[in-house]
Amino acid sequence: MPVNEEYGKMNAIELLFYYLDMEQSKLIDIIESYYTRNGIAIDECIAYAFAEEYEEYEEDYFGKDGIKIVIQEPVVDEEKEEVYSLKDFFIAVDKYYQKNFSFYKGKNLQIIENKLAEIKKILGI
């Protein structure tokens, strides 16, 4: 049984951002992960990985590019995996930031804005 029945109706990216609301400090980690190409966990049940983290022979390999979000129990009834292009993922990250930017202050605000602008330029967003 999921923690909340509504979670079963949400896609992986919606769940990731729902949990990010509780761990807003992780937004900088998400943005930094674009440069390191190392996925992160938002909490113990929600994480994502970059395609570059896996080789073709590995069980978790999901292609040459993109991001795979994995949602595990008890958030959902059974594990949910969804793959997004880098562009789609960072469009969603930018929308999340625009909606929640008032949480971020001072130095963090400037870091987030500068790095998001750079990523958007690289990805053609």
Side-chain angles (χ1 to χ4, degrees):
M1 181 75 146
V3 174
N4 181 329
E5 286 186 32
E6 291 299 311
Y7 295 171
K9 299 174 186 171
M10 299 168 79
N11 67 33
I13 207 160
E14 290 169 333
L15 283 165
L16 183 138
F17 289 126
Y18 180 82
Y19 270 74
L20 187 59
D21 281 344
M22 295 179 259
E23 290 285 339
Q24 289 183 327
S25 62
K26 297 250 182 180
L27 181 61
I28 292 175
D29 297 335
I30 290 173
I31 293 167
E32 287 289 334
S33 75
Y34 174 81
Y35 298 98
T36 64
R37 290 298 204 268
N38 291 315
I40 64 167
I42 302 304
D43 83 350
E44 64 273 1
C45 298
I46 300 177
Y48 69 89
F50 287 85
E52 294 96 322
E53 293 181 70
Y54 301 100
E55 300 293 330
E56 285 186 45
Y57 60 86
E58 293 182 284
E59 181 179 337
D60 290 331
Y61 179 78
F62 60 93
K64 293 183 183 198
D65 58 2
I67 292 176
K68 177 171 58 175
I69 300 172
V70 179
I71 313 294
Q72 298 177 329
E73 295 178 50
V75 175
V76 290
D77 282 331
E78 57 186 62
E79 187 171 292
K80 179 186 286 198
E81 295 182 0
E82 293 178 12
V83 176
Y84 296 87
S85 70
L86 285 176
K87 187 173 185 174
D88 289 343
F89 182 76
F90 280 98
I91 286 172
V93 169
D94 185 54
K95 285 181 183 175
Y96 174 85
Y97 168 70
Q98 297 304 325
K99 181 179 163 195
N100 296 287
F101 76 93
S102 62
F103 172 81
Y104 303 96
K105 308 268 190 263
K107 183 180 175 187
N108 286 342
L109 179 69
Q110 197 61 47
I111 290 169
I112 290 168
E113 288 183 353
N114 290 344
K115 292 193 181 260
L116 269 177
E118 187 175 300
I119 291 168
K120 287 167 43 177
K121 183 176 180 183
I122 292 167
L123 296 175
I125 299 172

